[in-house]
Amino acid sequence: MRRKKETFLFKLKNTVTTLLLTCVMLFFVQGYTNASSLRFVQVSDTHFLNNGANTTFKMIAESPKLLDDAIDQINTTPNVDFVMFTGDLIDKPYEIELQAVLPHVKKLNYPWYFAFGNHDICVGGYLTKSLYLSILRKNNSNFTFTTPYYSFVPKQGFKAIVLDSIIDNEITSNGYIYKEQLDWLDAELKKSQKDVVLIFMHVPLVEPFSSNDHLMKNSSEVRKIIEKYKNPIGVFSGHYHATKVVQMNNVLYVSSPALVSYPNAFRIIDITAKKNKVIFDLKFKETSLVNIQKLAKLMVFASSIYSGEEKDQTGIYEIKR
C-alpha cells in the first residue's frame, strides 16, 4: 500500500513539474513569437520641379528622375505598410508643380502620407495649406485629412502622428508649432501610451548640425511634451538634408537625408515590438542613379555632414518598455 502511495506521489510530482516547465516555456515563447512588426518608408526633401536647373546644393534638374528611382525601389520592397513624405515634396509652391508631381507619387504600390515642408506653401500666395490638402485628398484615397496635422493607426499597437512644423504667415526656413497643435499633440500622446508612437515632421527637434535659419524655434517646448511620456517614440524629420540619429531614453530622433541632394537617399524602417522592448531597424537606401549621385557629391562642401556616420545610416536601436 505504501509503495502504491509513493508511486502515486512520484507521478503527481512529475506531472506538476512538467506542467510548470510547460507554462514557463510558453511564457518565454509568447514573449518572442507574439512580437508585432511594422515597416514604413520615409522619403524627405524631394524638391520636385519640372524643367528646373541644378543649384550649388540641389539636383533640381534631376528631381523627377530621383523620385521615380526611389518609387521603383520602394515598389520592389515587400511588405511596406506605408510611405511618408516628410516635407518639401515640391521645390516651388505652385499648384502646377503639385499637380505635376502627383502622377509620379501615385505610382506607389503602398499607402502614402505627407507632412508639410517650407517649400510646399506660398506665403500670401495661391497654394495655401488648405488648397494643398484638398488636392491631396482628390488624388490619394488614403489621405482623408482636412488639417495639416493629423494622426492615424497603420497597424494595431502603432500610432502615427503627423505634425505641421511650418510657419505659414512668414517667409522663413525656421519652424514653429503653435499652442493649439501642442495641446492636440499632448492629447494624442496621452491616449497612446500603450502604443509605439511614430511622429513625422519636416523641421527636426534635435538638429543634425547647428543652423540658426533652419531650426525649430520652440523645440524645447515640443520635446518637453514628447519626452514626458515613457512609451517607445520615434521622431522622423528632414529639412537639413542631413543623416543623423540621436537616442534620448525612450525617444529616437531621426533626421533623414534628402532625395534631391547628396547622398540622394531615403530610409526603410522596420519596427519590431516585443513584450519588453521595441527594436528600430533603420536601413539607408541610396539612389541607383550613380552618375547623378556622384555629381551631387561634388556640389556639396562637406559631404560627410549630409551622409552622416555609419550608425546614422543603417543601425539597430532598442528602446525598453
Side-chain angles (χ1 to χ4, degrees):
M1 186 71 179
R2 183 179 177 183
R3 186 174 295 176
K4 289 183 178 180
K5 185 177 180 180
E6 288 177 349
T7 303
F8 172 76
L9 290 173
F10 179 78
K11 289 181 178 179
L12 180 62
K13 183 180 178 181
N14 282 346
T15 302
V16 171
T17 302
T18 302
L19 287 172
L20 286 173
L21 287 173
T22 302
C23 289
V24 170
M25 289 177 64
L26 286 174
F27 175 80
F28 282 104
V29 169
Q30 187 178 28
Y32 285 98
T33 60
N34 279 4
S36 58
S37 62
L38 181 79
R39 170 177 286 178
F40 69 89
V41 176
Q42 181 197 6
V43 183
S44 201
D45 297 271
T46 58
H47 287 268
F48 179 95
L49 187 65
N50 258 333
N51 303 315
N54 292 336
T55 69
T56 55
F57 181 56
K58 296 179 287 190
M59 305 295 291
I60 297 294
E62 313 297 342
S63 58
K65 293 180 183 177
L66 288 164
L67 179 57
D68 285 341
D69 176 66
I71 289 171
D72 287 343
Q73 289 195 55
I74 295 167
N75 283 343
T76 57
T77 303
N79 304 319
V80 174
D81 290 293
F82 67 92
V83 179
M84 179 65 70
F85 291 91
T86 48
D88 289 354
L89 180 60
I90 54 178
D91 189 65
K92 303 293 183 185
Y94 306 139
E95 183 184 0
I96 190 172
E97 295 301 333
L98 179 55
Q99 296 287 5
V101 75
L102 286 171
H104 296 262
V105 180
K106 288 165 72 174
K107 293 177 184 176
L108 281 167
N109 293 336
Y110 302 109
W112 59 274
Y113 301 90
F114 166 84
F116 274 102
N118 52 297
H119 279 257
D120 291 305
I121 66 163
C122 185
V123 177
Y126 179 72
L127 188 59
T128 62
K129 289 180 181 177
S130 177
L131 177 58
Y132 204 119
L133 293 171
S134 175
I135 293 171
L136 290 185
R137 289 195 301 272
K138 291 177 182 177
N139 289 274
N140 182 354
S141 60
N142 297 293
F143 195 93
T144 59
F145 312 102
T146 58
T147 58
Y149 55 92
Y150 57 92
S151 67
F152 62 95
V153 177
K155 187 179 286 186
Q156 185 177 354
F158 297 90
K159 181 69 167 289
I161 296 175
V162 178
L163 297 181
D164 176 18
S165 57
I166 305 306
I167 301 171
D168 51 8
N169 59 358
E170 177 186 348
I171 299 176
T172 177
S173 294
N174 287 327
Y176 191 86
I177 295 181
Y178 296 94
K179 186 179 186 305
E180 179 183 353
Q181 188 178 171
L182 289 178
D183 291 342
W184 174 85
L185 171 63
D186 196 6
E188 286 290 313
L189 290 170
K190 187 175 182 179
K191 65 185 181 184
S192 306
Q193 295 182 66
K194 293 183 179 180
D195 297 324
V196 178
V197 175
L198 310 170
I199 299 176
F200 300 96
M201 58 202 305
H202 185 61
V203 183
L205 296 175
V206 176
E207 289 183 288
F209 57 84
S210 180
S211 175
N212 289 331
D213 56 2
H214 278 73
L215 55 78
M216 177 74 77
K217 287 185 173 182
N218 62 335
S219 61
S220 60
E221 188 178 5
V222 184
R223 284 182 54 191
K224 185 177 179 180
I225 291 173
I226 293 172
E227 292 174 9
K228 76 178 181 179
Y229 294 97
K230 303 308 175 186
N231 50 313
I233 299 173
V235 183
F236 300 86
S237 58
H239 191 43
Y240 280 60
H241 295 209
T243 312
K244 188 75 173 178
V245 181
V246 178
Q247 183 172 351
M248 296 186 178
N249 298 318
N250 64 302
V251 183
L252 192 67
Y253 292 98
V254 181
S255 289
S256 289
L259 193 61
V260 77
S261 58
Y262 185 79
N264 310 101
F266 59 95
R267 289 192 191 272
I268 298 176
I269 298 97
D270 285 296
I271 303 177
T272 304
K274 298 184 178 181
K275 186 173 183 179
N276 61 344
K277 64 182 177 180
V278 174
I279 301 169
F280 288 77
D281 186 353
L282 309 181
K283 296 180 178 66
F284 191 74
K285 300 293 290 185
E286 298 176 74
T287 181
S288 63
L289 304 175
V290 179
N291 289 335
I292 294 176
Q293 187 187 47
K294 286 180 179 178
L295 180 58
K297 188 174 183 179
L298 292 173
M299 294 172 68
V300 295
F301 177 70
S303 60
S304 61
I305 293 177
Y306 302 102
S307 59
E309 298 178 19
E310 186 176 348
K311 66 180 179 62
D312 300 311
Q313 297 180 1
T314 297
I316 296 176
Y317 296 83
E318 291 187 0
I319 296 177
K320 294 182 179 179
R321 284 188 181 273

